[in-house]
Amino acid sequence: MKKSMFFLFSVSYLFALFSCQTSKEENKIVGDIKLLVVDSLQVDHLGKLNMIDLKEDHSEFLLYDGLSHDFLRVDRSGNILQQINRTGDGKDNYQSKYFMTAQYLENGDILIETYGMQFIYNGNFELKEKRQTPFSPIIGRMLGSTVNLPIGESMFSFTFHTGDSRDEFSESHAVDYPVLTSYKIDDFSVIARGKFPRESQMVLNPGTYNFDNPLAVYHNDELFLNFISSPEIYVYEFPGLVLKRVINLQPGENYKQNAPGDGKENFERFFNILSSSTFGGFNFSNDYLITWYNGAAPKDEVDALPRNVVGGPEFLALAKKYDKTYYHVFDGDKKLWEGQKDLKLSSCRNLIFNKLKEGETEDEVEKDSETFYFYEVNID
């Protein structure tokens, strides 16, 4: 009997040992991670280029120069396929100096959205159609917001439906309003609508938050959303917008929760931004989930600032002192690592990138072209 028990114990031990050795190395907490440059896009252009969108196969990138207001279509070798300005009232223009979103559609067309209007161009920026939209995207910034995400023939958007009552939306701070929307791109027919998840800070502590639209990534046939003032990622079936699971990011002590304001336009919201954290992006790399958030200045130091001015020397010095980016890396829903890196990544579609290398500053090197560096997560 003792031999049998010993045999069973030995088999169990060997099985467990084998499982541990053959499981992914990331199933244990790691000491550090590396953000490696694996490719780059060098464009013979000087201005202020922003990555607006890209095709899923990385065969073409849509860039926007914030100085000249030009769109640039660039191939994967960095060759400029087209540089064109579509602002203003011209025949093929989008009749505004500003746009909210610009994205490639599945068929190669380019969709640009302004307030109340959508402009659909072919791949050479020739206008095919302009149409009024029944949706009003909720955004915190212009010129490339991620409020829309085309997925096949459907669109995910964070919107107010113009036919609905604005009182219902504003009085509840959007908590009781279906802000999440999926619709058919061709005719705007609604597929599904949903409210803020009940676990989110916006529901638990309603009020006015300093947040942009949710960050959205479509990965392995699932829609991942992060509301940047709430430390979770919500995973949805798309286009039905059925919530499947929640990934609790469990940020460490460097994360300071953003408290809701009263909605009044005053300086206090700027001090609140300074003393709280928001998430800046997330994506997938080598089967890992990576997310990042900004650090926050201690509240006592923020409270000591003069309250009658925003953007003064003391304010800017404090903002610079605590301008740090902290990263999480997950294997599934298990956090492997959290820490600070001297790099602030950006994310678009299935790409993680930055115009700087880790530790590099913008004014460190004089350049005669603009380069986007593509990053991957590496765990030894």
Side-chain angles (χ1 to χ4, degrees):
M1 183 68 174
K2 288 183 178 179
K3 289 184 178 179
S4 297
M5 290 298 292
F6 178 76
F7 174 76
L8 289 173
F9 173 78
S10 299
V11 171
S12 298
Y13 174 78
L14 289 172
F15 178 79
L17 180 62
F18 178 78
S19 296
C20 289
Q21 290 176 337
T22 57
S23 64
K24 292 170 69 177
E25 180 68 16
E26 62 268 29
N27 281 335
K28 64 180 182 179
I29 302 300
V30 297
D32 197 10
I33 61 110
K34 294 179 181 178
L35 300 175
L36 300 180
V37 175
V38 294
D39 202 353
S40 64
L41 179 72
Q42 184 173 331
V43 184
D44 186 15
H45 176 89
L46 281 179
K48 192 175 181 181
L49 287 182
N50 296 292
M51 181 87 67
I52 300 297
D53 201 13
L54 64 144
K55 294 184 177 180
E56 292 286 349
D57 62 359
H58 297 189
S59 62
E60 188 171 311
F61 300 83
L62 184 62
L63 311 179
Y64 181 76
D65 188 331
L67 298 180
S68 66
H69 305 293
D70 289 345
F71 281 102
L72 281 74
R73 294 174 42 242
V74 176
D75 68 17
R76 66 192 311 153
S77 297
N79 301 310
I80 298 175
L81 305 175
Q82 186 177 20
Q83 180 171 346
I84 194 165
N85 190 312
R86 284 292 181 225
T87 59
D89 295 325
K91 169 180 170 289
D92 285 334
N93 294 355
Y94 52 86
Q95 301 167 5
S96 172
K97 188 174 182 179
Y98 302 101
F99 64 94
M100 290 188 292
T101 65
Q103 289 133 334
Y104 288 109
L105 300 181
E106 187 178 46
N107 63 1
D109 287 348
I110 298 169
L111 185 149
I112 293 180
E113 180 149 358
T114 63
Y115 278 117
M117 295 293 295
Q118 288 186 350
F119 297 80
I120 300 177
Y121 296 86
N122 65 18
N124 293 314
F125 264 107
E126 297 166 335
L127 185 63
K128 294 174 62 176
E129 181 183 3
K130 62 180 180 181
R131 56 189 189 167
Q132 189 171 359
T133 170
F135 306 110
S136 179
I138 305 164
I139 65 169
R141 62 186 177 91
M142 301 288 286
L143 305 179
S145 171
T146 56
V147 67
N148 289 338
L149 180 62
I151 303 171
E153 297 178 350
S154 303
M155 178 80 80
F156 166 75
S157 191
F158 186 68
T159 65
F160 173 80
H161 197 289
T162 52
D164 293 343
S165 167
R166 290 193 175 272
D167 291 339
E168 177 189 355
F169 175 81
S170 58
E171 290 176 3
S172 70
H173 300 286
V175 167
D176 294 326
Y177 184 87
V179 286
L180 309 179
T181 305
S182 62
Y183 65 87
K184 287 288 187 182
I185 293 174
D186 62 351
D187 64 1
F188 296 117
S189 57
V190 173
I191 301 169
R193 299 175 75 185
K195 301 178 181 180
F196 280 120
R198 66 177 184 271
E199 302 91 343
S200 67
Q201 284 294 317
M202 285 68 71
V203 174
L204 297 176
N205 298 292
T208 300
Y209 283 85
N210 300 312
F211 67 87
D212 196 352
N213 49 277
L215 305 168
V217 173
Y218 189 65
H219 177 72
N220 287 346
D221 300 322
E222 294 180 316
L223 178 66
F224 293 74
L225 298 181
N226 169 247
F227 302 92
I228 68 173
S229 290
S230 201
E232 309 88 25
I233 288 179
Y234 297 89
V235 187
Y236 289 86
E237 181 272 329
F238 188 86
L241 295 182
V242 176
L243 182 61
K244 299 173 68 174
R245 61 186 185 279
V246 180
I247 302 173
N248 192 330
L249 300 178
Q250 300 177 346
E253 61 182 11
N254 294 301
Y255 179 85
K256 306 300 180 186
Q257 180 57 50
N258 188 356
D262 57 13
K264 297 179 181 178
E265 285 295 325
N266 53 44
F267 284 168
E268 196 58 35
R269 66 190 183 97
F270 296 101
F271 295 102
N272 185 35
I273 291 172
L274 188 57
S275 63
S276 60
S277 298
T278 51
F279 282 85
F282 74 95
N283 217 312
F284 294 85
S285 176
N286 292 327
D287 294 327
Y288 301 105
L289 167 66
I290 179 170
T291 76
W292 52 94
Y293 65 89
N294 63 284
K299 194 171 186 309
D300 58 344
E301 295 187 43
V302 175
D303 290 343
L305 292 172
R307 313 309 279 186
N308 62 338
V309 61
V310 172
E314 294 171 282
F315 186 99
L316 295 177
L318 194 61
K320 183 177 180 180
K321 179 181 177 181
Y322 292 99
D323 183 19
K324 298 180 180 180
T325 303
Y326 297 88
Y327 291 88
H328 294 135
V329 174
F330 284 78
D331 174 21
D333 59 359
K334 179 181 179 181
K335 184 163 68 173
L336 307 176
W337 181 84
E338 178 174 350
Q340 191 252 333
K341 294 286 185 182
D342 292 328
L343 180 70
K344 188 174 292 187
L345 291 177
S346 296
S347 174
C348 185
R349 299 275 188 174
N350 57 0
L351 183 68
I352 302 171
F353 66 95
N354 197 282
K355 295 180 75 174
L356 300 172
K357 293 180 179 179
E358 187 171 357
E360 186 180 49
T361 59
E362 289 188 21
D363 55 356
E364 187 175 41
V365 181
E366 186 175 346
K367 300 177 180 179
D368 56 6
S369 62
E370 297 189 65
T371 303
F372 294 86
Y373 298 100
F374 304 157
Y375 283 85
E376 284 187 359
V377 176
N378 179 266
I379 296 179
D380 294 328

